[in-house]
Each structure stands twice: as C-alpha cells, then as structure tokens.
Amino acid sequence: MCKVIAICNQKGGVSKTTTTVNLGVGLVREGKKVLVIDADPQGNLSQSLGVEKPDELEIALPSIMEKIIMDKDFDATEGIIHHEEGIDLMPCNIDLSGVDVSLVNAMSREFVLKTYVESVREHYDYILIDCMPSLGMITVNSLTAADSVLIPVQAAYLPVKGLEQLITTIFRVKKHLNPNIQFEGILISMLNARTNYAKDIMDLIKDYYGESISIFQSRIPFSVRAAETSAAGVSIFTLDKKHPVASAYEELTKEVIAHE
Ligand code: ATP
Ligand code: MG
C-alpha cells in the first residue's frame, strides 16, 4: 500500500522542501520505495536533489500536467529522475505557473495532479508532495491527491496563528474534493534550543486545534548544517549522518512509519 503525503504550509520558508528531502531519504533508509514530487514552480526540491537547471528540463511535472489537462496520453515513468540516495524525483520548474493558469478552465481542475499520482502509485510505498507556499489551485491539487498532510511550522508565535487559513483550506478540500484526507501531523521545525518556544507553541496549537491534529514528538533543530544540504544536493544523512538534524529526521521517519 502506498501512502501519499502532502508537505504543506502556505507560509514561505518553513522547511517544507528540506523536510521532503530528509523524510524522503529517511524512508528509503528504512527500506521504503519513495517518490518525491516537486509541486512548486520555484523548483527548490529539484535543485536540492541536484537538478541544476530545472527550467531546462523537457519533461517535468508541468509538461505532464498539461498533457493530462489536454487529455493526452503520458507514460507514468517519464521524467522521473533517480537520485543517488535512492529516492525518485518528479522535478518541477517555472512552467508550473503556466499550468496554474490553464487549470482555471480545465475540466476536473482539482484532480489533475491526482491523475498523475494514481498512475505512479503502484510503484512506491510513499509519495511525498512538496507544496508551494500558497493556497492556490496547485496546492489544492496537491491536497486532493494526498492521503494525508504534514504541516511543518517554524517554532515561533506568528506562523502558528497563520495555520488557521491552511487548516480551513484542508477542511474545505476534505468536504468537497478528498473526503479521506487526514492530518499526518504538525512538525515543529527550525527550533532554537536556547528559547523555550517549543512548549509555548505546542500549547498554542493545542488551544487552537484541540487534540484533532497531532504534533510530532520529533522536532527539527535550527542549524546551518540543515541549510547546507540544499547546496550539496544531498540529504543530511549523506552530508552529516551524526548531526542532531539527521537524528531528528530519523525520529520523524520512524513516527511516520508508525502511522501506517
Ligand atoms: P518555500 O516556502 O520557499 O518553498 P520551504 O518551506 O520549502 O520554503 P525550505 O526551503 O526547506 O523551506 O527552507 C527555507 C530555508 O531554511 C532554506 O534556506 C533551508 O536551507 C533553511 N532550513 C531548512 N531547515 C532548516 C533548519 N532546520 N535549520 C536551519 N535552516 C533550515
Ligand atoms: Mg519549498
């Protein structure tokens, strides 16, 4: 059985992409077959996994989504890049902005990404979708295609307040498009050990959302080492396996597997 997890938060820079890479590679290290889908026209996930110029790729998520919108056939394996650490990547580039526009008039416009995901699903144990920082049509497509949503939140007061809009969107998707979507959990990321934010944030999340959304026990510490992985084109496990950020992502991976 394959599980599709959307890594989602409309706030920018909360570690969606970093979490997609490290959870993805973490799952591979536990023996799982994993596809990560870059659903952001910035192409950060593709770059973080070593695609230097995503805009020059001929086949990527936008070209496949265009084919689906035009009702053309596509090969489910086309465009997938095999990364040295064992994960597969469906890359993305700036053309996704154009797809966003074409979707406005497309038939079943919320289900285009789901059509793609369903075509590759049988080959994987996990598919992670790295969402873009917006709640527009591409993100609605990501949520419609997903079995669950993992929400990285930066350990600070304001980002937590901003979660309301995201959660409202998820409930709307659940009501109208994808009744089975579940919350994988909230991941507290970029945590500065010198502040006592984590506890405050967890209390705040509980106050706002009750027990309905769980918070992962694992928290990702703030560290420049985490940021260096993108430039290196590899995960924290390859860059610095003994680093606390690697241990935190390893723990997160185990929690996700325990949800199976
Ligand atoms: P966007 O909304 O633009 O897609 P994002 O939510 O995907 O952003 P990332 O790109 O993963 O966020 O992270 C934002 C920046 O913070 C990047 O420069 C990344 O390298 C850095 N970063 C990620 N995780 C950590 C961490 N634990 N500690 C310090 N820096 C981090
Ligand atoms: Mg990103």
Side-chain angles (χ1 to χ4, degrees), residues 36-47 51 53-57 59-63 65 79 81 89-97 99 130 132 138:
V36 290
I37 299 179
D38 190 349
D40 181 350
Q42 297 180 100
N44 290 159
L45 178 67
S46 309
Q47 287 160 338
V51 180
K53 294 180 177 163
D55 290 349
E56 290 177 8
L57 290 170
I59 306 172
L61 187 65
S63 59
M65 286 180 74
I81 294 170
L89 162 72
M90 170 44 68
C92 191
N93 56 36
I94 190 69
D95 294 343
L96 194 68
S97 309
V99 175
D130 180 24
M132 61 189 290
I138 299 291

Side-chain angles (χ1 to χ4, degrees), residues 222-236:
F222 184 94
S223 163
V224 284
R225 207 73 177 129
E228 285 165 5
T229 55
S230 331
V234 292
S235 74
I236 190 72

